[in-house]
Amino acid sequence: MSEAEVSVPVTDPGCPILVARFWRAGWASRKARSFSIAVRCALICSLFPVPCFLLLTGCAKNQDPNTVTMIIESSPANLDPRIGTDAQAEHIDSLLFDALVRRDEHFGLQPFLATRWENPDPLTWIFHLRTDTRFHDGRLLTSRDVKFTIDSILDGTVISVKAGSFTTTDHIDAPDPATVVFHLKKSDPALPFNLCDGAIGIVPYGSGRDFAHHPIGSGPFTFVSQQLDRDVIIARAPSYWDALPNIARVRFIVVPDVTTQALELEKGSADVESNPSNFDIVSALSRNPHLAVEYGPGTILNYLTFNMRDLILRDQRVRTAIALAINRPLIIQALYRGQARLAESLLPPEHWTFTNDLDQHNYDPAAANTLLDQAGYRHDAHGVRFHIGMKTSNDETVRLMSVAMQEQLSHIGVALDLRSYEFATFYADLVRGAFQLAPSRWVGGNENPDIFRYAYSTAAFPPHGANRGFYSNPDIDRLLADAISTSDRDHQRADYVRIQQIVAHDLPSLDLWYLNAVIVHNRRLTNIHLNPSGSFDFLRTATLAP
């Protein structure tokens, strides 16, 4: 494909859609340099409104007055809360299952299934449970279920990366139905955070490996059905111990394509979408009188993971050069219409352990070139120093972001070879570390400082945790061990500040930006309360007009 074939007038109101089509053609050809103009057009044109044809759709379909139809971009990988770690699974699980504790808006912990808890000595945590909680099948939820949930992760009944969050647990006792006692091998002040909503939900005693096919929880909604790549249906749980949801039924429909997502909202066949990926389309939808858009600060973190076992990427100078060659502010403005904040840490700026005293990775291609020269990578006759492969999902915004990065990295002689996959395939490769470079997101988990142990501890290599780039640093391991050896917050903060500084220098991953929380919804859906983590918890309190 020649450059002439991708030239598009930036004043054309259809430019963003046309560029996306040209981009898809370029993607299929896999000739990175042949469609560089398309990338430039995309970055410019995405600042203009999406074509108004999105606003000229036909009449809305008749909606079930008792059902909210919500768009999700992919099927949840696994609805067993002990296993599922993708965003869709964790968000839906938070409606089906309850945790021992829940996070508040300041990332502190509040009672949930546990009415209170205590830490009488460094190696003991005692949780006192509600006595009126029942699973959706009528069984009473007791300490035996809590003990089984964690034991089944640790003893291999289910294979889960969440086992890495409980490595300090020696054994668990259930002395009576309302008391569960965690006995630890060493102090772990982060244990309550690893038992909170979004991290783990409690399952019934005896739940096996096939539990995800028909999950039974104790949350405000009960599971009805799931059809892979089509939908998930949940219904209000009439026996829920807390306030009942106003909504009787929620149908999550799987719609991977962003344009189709917009059309579903436009014509009224879908009621709501949380954190849509295309902000140009969100801007266009905001002009529809039947739709409303809610914005708020978010904690969802987009990042790139480097595989530290790769012969090229294991060099810190190469990783830093790649970071300096990516123009993050331009991508934020072009693809997200400014609805994101630059990130240099896993933790959001509002977190009590966050520090901004870190190596900054501002756009500086000249410095990037110098680092690659120092690392010994010279340009060949075609201006290429080396090739790096990047795997992505088939989400369109992720792919556009990747193409923008491909274009920017080409200016320092790095040829980024892009491969996109259906989400389940991409995610399977991601969680086992089968990639050179891969984009991903932290959704909710990065609100807990123990994320550093889960993501960067040597003990958290797949399948034992989320250290998918196989990063190992003895200083990080030592600081992590020290941070969990004390309950003194000042001591902990000092450790976590130093961890952030080391990670920002070593760059096992590049933190890109925190996305703002966004919900697009039909105006018949009201009482929407945004959650910074992008969870679906707003469905607990939302109201559906007749």
Side-chain angles (χ1 to χ4, degrees):
M1 181 174 59
S2 69
E3 289 189 347
E5 291 175 312
V6 298
S7 297
V8 181
V10 297
T11 55
D12 183 341
C15 185
I17 297 300
L18 292 176
V19 167
R21 290 172 181 168
F22 284 127
W23 168 77
R24 292 190 188 100
W27 183 277
S29 70
R30 293 179 180 170
K31 296 179 179 177
R33 301 185 65 82
S34 71
F35 57 95
S36 61
I37 298 298
V39 177
R40 294 190 185 99
C41 285
L43 291 174
I44 296 171
C45 298
S46 60
L47 300 176
F48 290 81
V50 167
C52 60
F53 82 89
L54 285 178
L55 306 177
L56 300 176
T57 53
C59 298
K61 294 181 178 179
N62 292 327
Q63 288 282 60
D64 181 344
N66 299 312
T67 299
V68 167
T69 299
M70 180 168 178
I71 293 170
I72 55 176
E73 64 187 22
S74 59
S75 283
N78 194 305
L79 286 176
D80 186 331
R82 300 169 295 178
I83 300 173
T85 57
D86 62 293
Q88 311 302 338
E90 290 195 344
H91 290 339
I92 295 175
D93 277 345
S94 72
L95 301 173
L96 300 176
F97 299 89
D98 289 331
L100 291 190
V101 296
R102 72 192 318 173
R103 288 169 292 187
D104 61 27
E105 62 272 20
H106 302 295
F107 312 118
L109 298 180
Q110 300 295 330
F112 205 16
L113 288 180
T115 58
R116 59 188 176 90
W117 52 94
E118 55 213 43
N119 186 202
D121 61 71
L123 300 182
T124 308
W125 283 90
I126 303 172
F127 294 87
H128 302 276
L129 308 181
R130 302 182 60 89
T131 58
D132 59 348
T133 305
R134 292 188 178 275
F135 289 109
H136 299 145
D137 62 359
R139 283 180 283 175
L140 194 67
L141 189 155
T142 70
S143 58
R144 184 175 81 150
D145 303 295
V146 177
K147 171 178 166 57
F148 172 81
T149 297
I150 307 305
D151 282 347
S152 65
I153 295 172
L154 293 174
D155 66 17
T157 298
V158 296
I159 306 301
S160 173
V161 298
K162 294 185 180 183
S165 298
F166 301 102
T167 55
T168 61
T169 301
D170 182 75
H171 67 282
I172 303 170
D173 287 334
D176 63 65
T179 308
V180 60
V181 183
F182 284 74
H183 299 279
L184 308 183
K185 303 171 188 174
K186 55 185 177 181
S187 175
D188 187 359
L191 179 68
F193 287 94
N194 292 324
L195 293 168
C196 74
D197 57 322
I200 191 73
I202 303 304
V203 304
Y205 177 84
S207 301
R209 294 187 179 185
D210 61 349
F211 180 69
H213 299 314
H214 198 90
I216 298 170
S218 63
F221 291 90
T222 183
F223 176 82
V224 176
S225 66
Q226 178 179 9
Q227 299 181 74
L228 188 64
D229 296 329
R230 182 175 176 181
D231 64 16
V232 177
I233 298 174
I234 63 176
R236 180 170 54 211
S239 61
Y240 188 50
W241 60 269
D242 203 355
L244 287 177
N246 297 308
I247 298 167
R249 192 176 179 92
V250 182
R251 180 177 178 235
F252 299 96
I253 57 171
V254 179
V255 184
D257 180 73
V258 294
T259 302
T260 307
Q261 292 169 4
L263 293 173
E264 293 288 340
L265 290 165
E266 281 281 346
K267 65 186 180 182
S269 53
D271 293 299
V272 61
E273 182 177 8
S274 176
N275 295 305
S277 60
N278 189 305
F279 281 78
D280 289 317
I281 291 179
V282 171
S283 178
L285 292 173
S286 69
R287 298 194 292 275
N288 185 314
H290 302 293
L291 298 173
V293 181
E294 317 286 346
Y295 293 99
T299 62
I300 295 176
L301 175 71
N302 280 30
Y303 67 99
L304 296 178
T305 295
F306 300 101
N307 193 321
M308 304 287 281
R309 292 180 173 179
D310 183 80
L311 293 177
I312 297 174
L313 294 175
R314 67 185 181 186
D315 189 325
Q316 185 265 352
R317 294 169 296 183
V318 171
R319 300 193 300 276
T320 301
I322 289 174
L324 296 177
I326 296 174
N327 192 337
R328 292 180 294 160
L330 177 61
I331 296 175
I332 287 173
Q333 185 59 39
L335 294 185
Y336 299 102
R337 286 184 167 257
Q339 293 292 331
R341 300 176 288 173
L342 279 176
E344 295 288 356
S345 171
L346 264 70
L347 299 174
E350 298 81 6
H351 200 280
W352 61 275
T353 62
F354 173 83
T355 181
N356 201 39
D357 182 19
L358 306 169
D359 288 358
Q360 304 294 306
H361 301 95
N362 300 319
Y363 179 58
D364 191 344
N369 272 309
T370 299
L371 284 170
L372 293 180
D373 288 340
Q374 292 173 356
Y377 292 102
R378 305 297 179 183
H379 295 90
D380 64 16
H382 303 287
V384 175
R385 297 178 188 267
F386 54 78
H387 286 256
I388 288 291
M390 184 156 86
K391 291 183 177 181
T392 80
S393 70
N394 55 12
D395 175 85
E396 185 164 308
T397 299
V398 172
R399 293 192 294 178
L400 274 173
M401 175 195 75
S402 302
V403 174
M405 291 178 177
Q406 181 185 57
E407 166 70 10
Q408 293 170 355
L409 291 177
S410 71
H411 295 301
I412 63 166
V414 175
L416 193 62
D417 300 327
L418 302 176
R419 301 288 184 271
S420 82
Y421 300 86
E422 183 271 329
F423 179 79
T425 301
F426 163 74
Y427 189 70
D429 282 351
L430 178 69
V431 297
R432 63 189 179 94
F435 58 86
Q436 285 181 286
L437 185 62
S440 191
R441 293 180 296 180
W442 285 115
V443 182
N446 61 316
E447 297 170 2
N448 175 1
D450 200 48
I451 187 68
F452 292 107
R453 178 171 53 158
Y454 185 57
Y456 295 131
S457 166
T458 302
F461 286 177
H464 306 295
N467 189 348
R468 295 156 185 163
F470 303 98
Y471 169 65
S472 181
N473 183 321
D475 288 336
I476 291 289
D477 291 338
R478 177 183 57 79
L479 287 163
L480 287 169
D482 189 62
I484 65 173
S485 70
T486 177
S487 58
D488 183 279
R489 277 210 162 189
D490 289 338
H491 189 144
Q492 288 180 319
R493 187 176 190 281
D495 283 336
Y496 286 121
V497 165
R498 184 62 188 138
I499 288 168
Q500 290 171 78
Q501 291 169 337
I502 294 172
V503 168
H505 175 267
D506 288 356
L507 275 186
S509 60
L510 172 62
D511 300 317
L512 297 171
W513 45 74
Y514 311 99
L515 291 175
N516 284 352
V518 181
I519 294 178
V520 182
H521 63 93
N522 192 297
R523 290 189 182 275
R524 77 183 191 124
L525 192 64
T526 59
N527 200 26
I528 301 290
H529 299 290
L530 284 172
N531 187 300
S533 68
S535 76
F536 299 166
D537 279 1
F538 66 90
L539 292 170
R540 290 173 175 261
T541 57
T543 302
L544 190 61

